[in-house]
Amino acid sequence: MPYFTSPVDGTRLHYVDYGPADGPVIVFVNSLYFGTEMWEYQMLPLAQEGHRCVSFDRRGHGRSDDVWGGFDLDSLADDVQGLLDHLDLSEVTLVGHSLGTAEIVRCLARHGVDRVTRVALIAGMAPGPARSANHPEGVDPDLMRAGTEVFRRDRSAFFADGAHAFFALDRPGNDLSEAYVETMIRRCHGSTARAGVALGELIAELDVAPELAALDLPVLVVHGTHDTSGPIELTGRRAARLAPNSTLEVYENAGHGLFATHADRLTADLRKFAAGG
């Protein structure tokens, strides 16, 4: 089972590396709570087609170390860079989902773009959903912190109660088996309570708008119209306006979990984008 060592504090981080070693590289950065398994409908077909598909479990997630510290955005971004450096990856298409999009943006702001050629922000939290002086339309941070308190009190109920909205299962075409949804709920428990609370608090203060506006790379923004975790007007559309060289793909009826409900479309869009389309 492969691991690399965090450049921040020596935390052991588990990663997967699928496909041919000499294939065009796509690196996937996960959502909060999930490990690499969330990308199965994208990584496996793309690897079979000849891409090198790499992803890792964030600290406190999946098979990576259970740690107390390092949940600030700078440290998380440095962990992403640590993976790129460990495998000596180049000409990377960097793909993030939800919180992973903010980790990507901060990583590139801190470490530069020498290893990366393009970026895909999937159902992203970037540039940040919270209300601030520069984003008065955002969500009240106190409401977001209240959600973190709900998580803190009973994360089992938090995951089970939130699955329906996460995948927007009430919308047409979002047909997932009950078994799949239950499996993904269980997968959320692969993240520690510490990680969930710390990152919930981070999201309530998240603001990478200036860094996103300075990102001089092709950026694909994919967002669903019915994303309740990161509402499209506060995140996806705003990200597309900020990024100088962006393309926005709006998925009608999709929720936050569009990597599953719209798996084939997302895979096709990533395939095209990674090829320079």
Side-chain angles (χ1 to χ4, degrees):
M1 189 177 295
Y3 288 86
F4 72 100
T5 301
S6 166
V8 176
D9 55 8
T11 296
R12 285 194 327 148
L13 301 172
H14 171 262
Y15 70 93
V16 296
D17 189 350
Y18 295 158
D22 60 351
V25 182
I26 308 177
V27 173
F28 295 82
V29 182
N30 310 329
S31 175
L32 174 57
Y33 310 129
F34 291 118
T36 60
E37 72 283 340
M38 69 168 285
W39 297 110
E40 65 176 296
Y41 298 128
Q42 287 73 50
M43 291 184 68
L44 297 185
L46 290 170
Q48 289 171 339
E49 294 166 11
H51 292 84
R52 183 179 182 182
C53 295
V54 178
S55 185
F56 76 106
D57 292 342
R58 182 187 291 106
R59 58 180 57 230
H61 289 63
R63 289 162 283 187
S64 291
D65 283 354
D66 178 3
V67 294
W68 179 258
F71 293 106
D72 60 285
L73 190 57
D74 284 352
S75 294
L76 297 170
D78 290 353
D79 286 346
V80 175
Q81 184 67 31
L83 176 66
L84 303 182
D85 291 342
H86 175 74
L87 295 176
D88 193 23
L89 301 176
S90 60
E91 298 185 15
V92 172
T93 298
L94 199 48
V95 180
H97 179 270
S98 192
L99 176 61
T101 63
E103 291 166 294
I104 284 174
V105 173
R106 178 61 56 85
C107 174
L108 297 177
R110 283 174 65 79
H111 298 282
V113 299
D114 289 349
R115 294 188 179 276
V116 179
T117 57
R118 56 186 62 83
V119 173
L121 309 178
I122 313 301
M125 286 295 174
R131 182 186 304 160
S132 67
N134 296 323
H135 186 214
E137 302 84 6
V139 179
D140 184 345
D142 286 340
L143 289 178
M144 301 175 71
R145 295 185 186 101
T148 300
E149 286 303 311
V150 172
F151 171 91
R152 191 196 305 268
R153 286 195 300 272
D154 189 345
R155 64 190 181 117
S156 296
F158 179 89
F159 293 141
D161 294 346
H164 191 274
F166 182 87
F167 292 111
L169 296 178
D170 60 329
R171 303 304 301 172
N174 294 349
D175 301 320
L176 298 175
S177 70
E178 182 177 340
Y180 176 84
V181 174
E182 290 177 352
T183 296
M184 296 306 282
I185 292 171
R186 290 195 300 272
R187 290 287 193 180
C188 288
H189 287 276
S191 61
T192 66
R194 163 60 182 164
V197 170
L199 295 177
E201 292 171 346
L202 171 63
I203 292 171
E205 300 177 353
L206 186 64
D207 182 7
V208 293
E211 294 145 284
L212 186 54
L215 185 56
D216 189 21
L217 288 176
V219 175
L220 173 66
V221 179
V222 175
H223 220 95
T225 58
H226 287 74
D227 189 331
T228 57
S229 300
I232 186 171
E233 297 298 335
L234 305 182
T235 53
R237 292 195 190 278
R238 186 166 169 245
R241 289 194 300 267
L242 284 165
N245 186 12
S246 69
T247 300
L248 174 63
E249 292 287 343
V250 176
Y251 287 15
E252 190 66 32
N253 293 316
H256 207 53
L258 53 77
F259 56 87
T261 57
H262 293 66
D264 291 344
R265 179 176 175 184
L266 178 59
T267 301
D269 283 343
L270 291 177
R271 181 188 299 114
K272 179 180 177 181
F273 183 61

